[in-house]
């Protein structure tokens, strides 16, 4: 049967393998009656087969152990990172909780201690929120900071208003109205912060029963 030239040209990469296969076959034909050659060839063949049969599983097992060790190391690093982030976040939320209790229901004066969100902002901007693996916990903390930021911005505006000319609205000044806006978030602010702190405590309780 006439072979297609294009078929052969497209499979030239098989030529080296074919040569390597034919050389020992041809050589073995010439040494067909040489018992010593066959004893040596069979011995080498058996050694090769044993090496393949025993070596491949061992190699795969070693690779599996190395991969498992790397995965455990990665998991440990991520768990420690999550723990560090939550510890720092807890401290910042406790700071804000103390600031909230100082100003709660106080509509007559502006606190000199602003809320703190610098740490959480830095963690968010650096992309390290990915280390918090529990969605409900991340959502609760984020909700707490959402209200904290709102009140913080209002109080910043209040400071600006107090430094500007006082404008009356009925029997209240502009900064008093702004403070009332900020204080309207007190109840929700308190609930969110306490809930977030509770979730952080629950996290550590499950990690260290």
């Amino acid at each position: 049967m006439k072979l297609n030239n294009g078929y052969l040209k497209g499979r030239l990469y098989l030529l080296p393998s074919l040569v390597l296969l034919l050389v020992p076959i041809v050589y073995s034909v010439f040494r067909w009656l040489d018992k010593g050659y066959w004893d040596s060839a069979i011995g080498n063949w058996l050694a090769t087969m044993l090496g393949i049969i025993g070596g491949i599983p061992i190699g795969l097992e070693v690779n599996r152990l190395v991969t498992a060790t790397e995965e455990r190391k990665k998991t440990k690093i991520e768990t420690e990172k999550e723990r560090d982030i939550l510890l720092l976040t807890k401290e910042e939320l406790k700071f804000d909780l103390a600031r909230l209790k100082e100003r709660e229901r106080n509509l007559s004066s502006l606190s000199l201690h602003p809320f703190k969100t610098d740490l959480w902002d830095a963690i968010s901007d650096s992309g390290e929120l990915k280390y918090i693996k529990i969605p409900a916990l991340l959502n609760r903390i984020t909700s707490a900071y959402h209200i904290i930021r709102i009140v913080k911005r209002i109080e910043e505006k209040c400071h600006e208003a107090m430094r500007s000319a006082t404008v009356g609205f009925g029997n209240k000044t502009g900064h008093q109205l702004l403070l009332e806006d900020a204080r309207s978030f007190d109840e929700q602010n308190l609930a969110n912060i306490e809930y977030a702190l509770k979730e952080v405590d629950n996290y550590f309780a499950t990690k260290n029963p």
Side-chain angles (χ1 to χ4, degrees), residues 11-74:
R11 286 161 177 76
L12 289 177
Y13 63 90
L14 295 175
L15 187 58
S17 300
L18 185 60
V19 172
L20 291 175
L21 179 63
L22 289 176
V23 167
I25 293 176
V26 173
Y27 185 74
S28 296
V29 170
F30 284 103
R31 301 292 299 272
W32 184 259
L33 300 178
D34 188 343
K35 185 176 181 298
Y37 165 77
W38 286 108
D39 288 343
S40 176
I42 294 300
N44 291 333
W45 178 81
L46 287 174
T48 301
M49 290 299 100
L50 289 174
I52 293 174
I53 294 172
I56 291 178
I58 292 174
L60 291 174
E61 183 63 19
V62 169
N63 181 69
R64 187 188 69 80
L65 290 174
V66 170
T67 301
T69 300
E70 291 176 350
E71 286 295 325
R72 285 195 297 270
K73 185 184 295 185
K74 179 182 177 183

Side-chain angles (χ1 to χ4, degrees), residues 120 141-151 153 188 192:
W120 185 252
I141 296 174
T142 302
S143 297
Y145 275 103
H146 174 66
I147 299 301
I148 290 173
R149 286 196 185 98
I150 291 176
V151 177
R153 285 195 295 267
Q188 186 177 0
N192 280 358

Side-chain angles (χ1 to χ4, degrees), residues 126-144:
S126 66
E128 293 187 331
L129 292 183
K130 64 183 179 182
Y131 293 110
I132 301 179
K133 302 299 185 180
I134 305 174
L137 174 59
L138 178 60
N139 178 64
R140 183 46 54 191
I141 296 174
T142 302
S143 297

Side-chain angles (χ1 to χ4, degrees), residues 82 86 134 137 199-209:
E82 181 183 44
L86 289 175
I134 305 174
L137 174 59
E199 291 298 316
V200 173
D201 288 336
N202 288 339
Y203 165 84
F204 286 112
T206 57
K207 293 294 182 180
N208 302 290

